[in-house]
Amino acid sequence: MLSIIKSAALMGIDSYPVNVEVDLSNGLPAFDIVGLPDSAVKESRERVRTAIRNSNFSFPVKRITVNLAPADTKKEGASFDLPIALGILAACNLFSADKLQDAIVTGELSLDGSVRPVNGVLPMMYDSFCRGTTKCFVPAENAEEASLVEGMTVYPVHSVTEIIDHLSGGKQIEPFIKKEDKTFTQAEDSFENLDFSHVKGQENAKRAMEIAAAGGHNILLIGPPGSGKTMLAKRLPTILPDLSFEESIEITKIYSVAGLLKEKNSLVKTRPFRSPHHTISASALTGGGRIPKPGEISLAHHGVLFLDELPEFQRNALEVMRQPLEDGKVTIARVNGTLTFPSDFMLTAAMNPCPCGYLGNSEKCHCSANEIMKYHRKISGPLLDRIDLMVEMPPVSYDDLDNMTPAESSASIKERVVRAHRIQLERFKNEGIYFNAQMDAAQIEKYCTLLPRDKEVLRSAFDRMELSARAYHKILKLARTAADLAGEEQITLKHLLEVLQYRSLDRKYLL
């Protein structure tokens, strides 16, 4: 007796269909799973056998062969437990497999027959819906996540007994109804205790942060210990534009595959802020494993990746960020194939001006010229060239700390950022991008025009500062963002001169 149950597997953050084919035949009792299963899939034999028996069904004493088609791709994880169990019970004539002909099934089984949640449900359901499948049976804890796919009828499954009753004509499972208060419109505030008003002084750095947030630009903060670098960086998400629904879905797919979605909070509603420790490896940063999972730069997609103490990171870990910073995606090659993860993030980094951090203070700093040069050379030129803004942060004075006048709040800064972002969304509505930082060369030529006199200023700066072609484009994109913040259509000399100051520190510190 043959039965076929539709399921799905993941390759990176993308999904592909898998048919779980189950055949029962006479012969010596056996239970074989073929189709390149990994250890977790092979172990499903014991989970399925025990779950069926503990659900008060008879496990067939026959030769059972399970094929996971297509058989030439490696399958991993426990998400095939439920479709395998249903395939066996369908082959035993407990219900007709035709009732699942237009449905996709996924779920892990406990030994008592209950269904446990799995990772990657959103990309599985989205891909299946695009292929014409309109119904799905998923673990009850994954139902809200699956319901994000508009048009998909989601059946939450708690146990094997429950789904068999449904399929055999008994008690029916009610389709999951998405609660309105869980929708995208009610974004959670993960940064409610952080505000720019808490930061005393550093007005120049705050302005640079505003430009970075408005245009999605990368930024490097350079200053002595205690100058507020980390404090500012942690407050950057409070002035970023809110996520669009499309951006939110992209991020949620990544977090679903990585298994990082919070319980009962299926949609990522705020821009990610990732801050890995400087001991992180290159594979943890970009994504790794035999079948790679998303790394920190992908988990920061459409959000912020904060690297504190930038020179302390391993050199190879920093260098692997070159391609993602340029292309907005990271490609990982493995024996099983090549995977591409989205990684369009905003890099925010902080560092000291010298190993001790007190460069310029003759009483505190005793670093030699060679030590300072060695410290700065931990950051390569090609990586530094991909950073748009470099901001020097001097020590905070006592008068600034003792000033009781409230500083500008995050809400006030965010208003200007959001206005500038709306201008960009209107400008790029047919371009497929969201921020000025994402413009390519053709778009820069189209949207970042300069007056003839301003071109001469930029030419002079280009020659004097020995800028690269990439730095030239970044200056134009920064100037475009400064103009957007001012609500002006034309980039003027004022905007150009403001952003040129953020490209001078690499020469000052010999970076």
Side-chain angles (χ1 to χ4, degrees), residues 8 17 26 37 55 78 82 106 143 154 165 194 213 280 330 332 390 395 421 430 453 497 507:
N26 295 324
S55 299
L82 184 58
T106 187
V154 180
D165 284 346
L194 301 176
I280 190 172
V330 57
I332 304 172
M390 294 167 235
H421 187 227
N430 298 319
R453 62 176 185 178
L497 292 176
R507 300 298 177 267

Side-chain angles (χ1 to χ4, degrees), residues 474-506:
K474 287 189 177 298
I475 287 172
L476 288 176
K477 289 189 279 190
L478 284 169
R480 178 69 269 168
T481 301
D484 290 342
L485 282 167
E488 299 180 14
E489 180 66 27
Q490 177 63 50
I491 298 174
T492 66
L493 183 60
K494 175 180 63 176
H495 308 133
L496 191 60
L497 292 176
E498 180 184 14
V499 300
L500 278 172
Q501 67 174 312
Y502 299 125
R503 295 298 309 186
S504 60
L505 291 183
D506 53 340

Side-chain angles (χ1 to χ4, degrees), residues 354-369 371-372:
C354 66
C356 76
Y358 297 100
L359 182 66
N361 188 324
S362 58
E363 295 182 0
K364 290 186 177 181
C365 181
H366 304 286
C367 300
S368 67
E371 289 175 333
I372 296 172

Side-chain angles (χ1 to χ4, degrees), residues 88-325:
I88 292 173
L89 296 175
C92 294
N93 294 319
L94 264 71
F95 68 93
S96 173
D98 292 340
K99 292 188 176 181
L100 292 173
Q101 189 173 8
D102 59 344
I104 180 173
V105 182
T106 187
E108 177 186 341
L109 291 180
S110 294
L111 298 185
D112 62 356
S114 60
V115 181
R116 296 171 55 85
V118 295
N119 295 334
V121 164
L122 177 59
M124 288 182 193
M125 298 308 115
Y126 180 79
D127 178 76
S128 299
F129 182 75
C130 292
R131 295 175 184 273
T133 303
T134 57
K135 295 193 297 184
C136 66
F137 291 85
V138 300
E141 293 182 43
N142 292 126
E144 187 174 343
E145 180 184 345
S147 68
L148 295 175
V149 182
E150 296 292 337
M152 178 72 81
T153 303
V154 180
Y155 294 93
V157 181
H158 294 87
S159 66
V160 174
T161 305
E162 182 183 42
I163 190 172
I164 293 300
D165 284 346
H166 174 88
L167 295 172
S168 60
K171 184 179 179 181
Q172 297 296 291
I173 300 175
E174 293 297 326
F176 181 83
I177 299 175
K178 184 166 58 176
K179 297 180 178 63
E180 291 301 321
D181 61 345
K182 294 290 185 178
T183 59
F184 176 75
T185 54
Q186 296 218 337
E188 60 184 34
D189 189 358
S190 303
F191 310 98
E192 57 183 3
N193 295 322
L194 301 176
D195 198 280
F196 266 65
S197 62
H198 302 155
V199 183
K200 302 290 187 178
Q202 305 296 9
E203 299 304 323
N204 188 49
K206 290 180 182 179
R207 171 61 179 175
M209 283 288 203
E210 181 180 338
I211 294 174
H217 303 287
N218 303 320
I219 184 171
L220 172 63
L221 305 174
I222 306 174
S227 57
K229 303 185 297 295
T230 303
M231 193 175 185
L232 269 178
K234 288 183 176 180
R235 283 155 177 76
L236 179 57
T238 65
I239 64 171
L240 290 174
D242 293 332
L243 284 171
S244 67
F245 183 75
E246 292 75 15
E247 289 177 307
S248 185
I249 289 293
E250 287 182 44
I251 299 169
T252 303
K253 288 173 65 176
I254 297 171
Y255 276 66
S256 175
V257 170
L260 297 178
L261 287 181
K262 297 179 181 178
E263 185 178 3
K264 296 182 180 179
N265 183 20
S266 60
L267 193 64
V268 176
K269 304 166 189 175
T270 56
R271 294 191 181 274
F273 181 85
R274 306 292 299 184
S275 181
H277 192 261
H278 60 76
T279 56
I280 190 172
S281 65
S283 59
L285 200 59
T286 59
R290 184 177 50 80
I291 298 181
K293 298 293 185 184
E296 288 293 332
I297 62 175
S298 293
L299 295 173
H301 185 55
H302 290 319
V304 177
L305 178 68
F306 176 49
L307 302 183
D308 201 3
E309 304 296 344
L310 185 64
E312 303 301 329
F313 282 79
Q314 300 176 30
R315 180 66 177 258
N316 64 329
L318 293 178
E319 295 309 304
V320 297
M321 292 196 300
R322 289 190 195 178
Q323 181 214 3
L325 283 171

Side-chain angles (χ1 to χ4, degrees), residues 356-417:
C356 76
Y358 297 100
L359 182 66
N361 188 324
S362 58
E363 295 182 0
K364 290 186 177 181
C365 181
H366 304 286
C367 300
S368 67
N370 285 336
E371 289 175 333
I372 296 172
M373 185 175 295
K374 183 179 179 182
Y375 180 74
H376 290 159
R377 285 182 175 175
K378 291 180 179 180
I379 308 171
S380 69
L383 177 63
L384 190 71
D385 204 36
R386 287 166 167 81
I387 296 178
D388 306 57
L389 302 99
M390 294 167 235
V391 187
E392 185 175 28
M393 297 179 61
V396 184
S397 67
Y398 178 83
D399 289 339
D400 284 333
L401 292 173
D402 193 47
N403 188 356
M404 294 295 103
T405 303
E408 189 174 22
S409 67
S410 293
S412 177
I413 299 173
K414 185 174 180 177
E415 285 182 10
R416 296 193 296 270
V417 170

